[in-house]
């Protein structure tokens, strides 16, 4: 299959491209390089510099490339930033998808695999099932939920087939160490902890220990980026084989507290951490039920929390060695 990967120069998009090419498919990347890197674009991918909010950029790609499936990764994803810049989040995340769907309609491209997030569940308690109520508590989650609904309505009206993936907490790097989460984008727990281990930061601050959880710190479900990226290959194949449109969680069915993550890192390499105040917009617990993805895609995440931490560490050590 020939897949357009919108945002294929970013962290997760670049991993999807690597998994597609490994699986024998062709990848076309569209990215405005606002937070992506040319270094992350697979050498075998066809690259277009352009913006999904600009219909002309999409026309150029769809006129030149026969596309079977579109994957969308071109979103802003940082919760605290979304609290400060909600309009920017709506413009980039929601308008970007609206223009993309309009272009797909115009060029008769029927299949889309869309990156959404556990943040659509908001203050979840326990394990999130896809049919649970969606009630985001930050603009990031709101923009992703708006896109989910737009895709569902557009599918109904225009006959798109879609797989919407709700990601839980993604970390780690491709086994080749050619790609990973780059240096200047770091706000997420695992890479921040690893940077601390490597002496790039003085310490890790745990944001709040007064949440209603077993040790008072937030609980998240961590998933290796390569497991997540491979699910996209399966999702695209599923659509081309006539699978019906679905929303699926991508997580591990298992939650770890921030303190447990810090302690797991500490067992691998000494980590200095302290407890600070809560961060705005953080729900206490987010864990995925991944039964749907297991059932429909036969997808099983293969990496453990320790694998994820070691993989991020190996990538960051490599980055550190670069001049
Ligand atoms: N976190 C933390 N210190 C940090 C970064 C994150 O305590 O330096 C916590 C954060 O408050 C949340 C969890 O780690 O409870 C996961 O946050 P992250 O930003 O990695 O992902 P999110 O769940 O917000 O998408």
């Amino acid at each position: 299959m020939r897949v357009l990967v919108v945002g294929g120069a970013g962290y997760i998009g670049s991993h999807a491209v690597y998994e597609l090419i490994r699986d024998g498919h062709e990848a076309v990347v569209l990215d405005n390089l606002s937070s992506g890197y040319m270094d992350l674009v697979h050498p075998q991918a066809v690259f277009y510099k352009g913006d999904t909010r600009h219909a002309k950029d999409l026309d150029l790609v769809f006129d030149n490339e026969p596309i079977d499936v579109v994957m969308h990764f071109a979103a802003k994803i940082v919760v605290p930033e979304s609290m400060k810049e909600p309009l920017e989040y709506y413009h980039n995340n929601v308008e970007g998808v609206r223009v993309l769907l309009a272009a797909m309609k115009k060029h008769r491209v029927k299949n889309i695999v869309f990156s959404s997030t556990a943040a659509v569940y908001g203050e979840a308690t326990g394990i999130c099932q896809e049919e649970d109520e969606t009630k985001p508590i930050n603009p990031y989650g709101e923009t992703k939920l708006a896109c989910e609904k737009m895709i569902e309505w557009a599918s109904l009206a225009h006959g798109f087939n879609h797989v919407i993936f709700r990601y839980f907490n993604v970390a780690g790097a491709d086994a080749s160490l050619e790609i990973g989460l780059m240096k200047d984008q770091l706000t997420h727990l695992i890479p921040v902890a690893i940077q601390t281990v490597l002496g790039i930061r003085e310490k890790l601050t745990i944001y709040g220990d007064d949440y209603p959880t077993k040790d008072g710190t937030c609980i998240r479900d961590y998933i290796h980026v390569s497991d997540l990226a491979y699910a996209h290959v399966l999702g695209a194949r599923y659509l081309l084989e006539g699978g019906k449109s679905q929303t699926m969680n991508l997580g591990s069915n298992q939650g770890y507290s921030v303190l447990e993550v810090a302690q797991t890192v500490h067992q691998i390499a000494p980590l200095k951490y302290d407890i600070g105040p809560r961060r705005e917009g953080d729900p206490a617990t987010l864990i995925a039920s991944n039964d749907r993805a297991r059932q429909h895609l036969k997808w099983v995440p293969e990496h453990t929390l320790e694998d994820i931490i070691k993989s991020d560490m190996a990538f960051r050590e490599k980055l550190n060695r670069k001049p």
Side-chain angles (χ1 to χ4, degrees):
M1 60 189 162
R2 194 167 174 79
V3 179
L4 172 61
V5 183
V6 181
Y11 172 48
I12 298 175
S14 64
H15 283 81
V17 171
Y18 270 62
E19 293 300 334
L20 280 165
I21 289 173
R22 253 179 219 140
D23 206 51
H25 308 291
E26 289 170 86
V28 177
V29 171
L30 175 74
D31 201 298
N32 66 6
L33 298 180
S34 64
S35 59
Y37 298 79
M38 265 325 280
D39 283 353
L40 298 185
V41 177
H42 195 292
Q44 284 169 34
V46 179
F47 179 74
Y48 288 81
K49 184 163 188 284
D51 196 307
T52 175
R53 290 166 296 189
H54 301 154
K56 272 194 194 148
D57 293 353
L58 292 164
D59 282 342
L60 181 68
V61 176
F62 287 125
D63 282 339
N64 285 349
E65 314 284 344
I67 298 295
D68 300 304
V69 182
V70 174
M71 293 182 181
H72 181 275
F73 298 93
K76 287 179 166 281
I77 59 157
V78 181
V79 170
E81 183 187 56
S82 81
M83 301 292 283
K84 292 198 183 78
E85 298 290 344
L87 301 181
E88 185 51 33
Y89 270 63
Y90 275 85
H91 185 221
N92 189 82
N93 294 1
V94 183
E95 177 65 1
V97 172
R98 187 194 67 76
V99 177
L100 176 63
L101 291 171
M104 287 174 63
K105 175 173 173 259
K106 177 175 168 189
H107 294 272
R108 296 188 178 81
V109 178
K110 288 286 178 194
N111 302 301
I112 180 162
V113 177
F114 179 71
S115 311
S116 187
T117 167
V120 300
Y121 293 113
E123 287 285 6
T125 46
I127 295 196
C128 299
Q129 313 276 351
E130 290 86 349
E131 59 275 17
D132 287 354
E133 190 184 12
T134 47
K135 233 178 166 184
I137 60 165
N138 52 57
Y140 166 55
E142 288 286 4
T143 60
K144 284 294 183 175
L145 186 58
C147 291
E148 287 193 8
K149 290 182 177 171
M150 179 166 38
I151 291 168
E152 284 165 359
W153 287 115
S155 291
L156 205 62
H158 307 305
F160 295 126
N161 310 304
H162 63 262
V163 169
I164 293 170
F165 283 130
R166 291 180 177 159
Y167 301 171
F168 284 65
N169 288 61
V170 187
D174 188 77
S176 69
L177 302 183
E178 292 295 327
I179 54 173
L181 184 61
M182 300 292 268
K183 256 182 199 164
D184 58 346
Q185 296 174 324
L186 301 181
T187 60
H188 291 301
L189 176 63
I190 290 178
V192 167
I194 303 299
Q195 283 197 324
T196 309
V197 164
L198 297 179
I200 299 164
R201 291 174 194 246
E202 197 197 322
K203 63 180 182 203
L204 165 74
T205 297
I206 293 179
Y207 298 141
D209 67 350
D210 57 350
Y211 286 92
T213 60
K214 55 188 174 185
D215 61 21
T217 66
C218 290
I219 293 179
R220 295 288 183 275
D221 182 339
Y222 294 89
I223 179 93
H224 193 288
V225 66
S226 298
D227 284 332
L228 181 100
Y230 188 61
H232 291 70
V233 178
L234 297 177
R237 280 206 228 137
Y238 166 85
L239 289 178
L240 290 179
E241 286 160 9
K244 94 173 181 3
S245 294
Q246 292 271 359
T247 298
M248 300 181 206
N249 290 335
L250 293 180
S252 71
N253 278 357
Q254 208 184 342
Y256 291 95
S257 74
V258 176
L259 201 56
E260 285 172 333
V261 173
Q263 285 161 352
T264 309
V265 173
H266 188 66
Q267 280 161 14
I268 298 166
L271 171 68
K272 222 169 124 190
Y273 59 86
D274 65 6
I275 309 286
R278 286 183 179 202
R279 186 176 72 177
E280 244 186 309
D282 278 340
T285 302
L286 283 173
I287 304 171
S289 156
N290 63 20
D291 296 350
R292 250 195 221 181
R294 280 176 191 261
Q295 186 194 336
H296 292 282
L297 305 182
K298 309 276 176 280
W299 175 77
V300 184
E302 285 175 359
H303 297 81
T304 64
L305 178 64
E306 209 181 312
D307 296 337
I308 297 170
I309 290 168
K310 284 183 175 164
S311 144
D312 189 85
M313 196 177 295
F315 179 72
R316 234 150 277 299
E317 278 170 340
K318 186 183 164 193
L319 269 188
N320 233 6
R321 287 195 297 271
K322 276 193 179 168

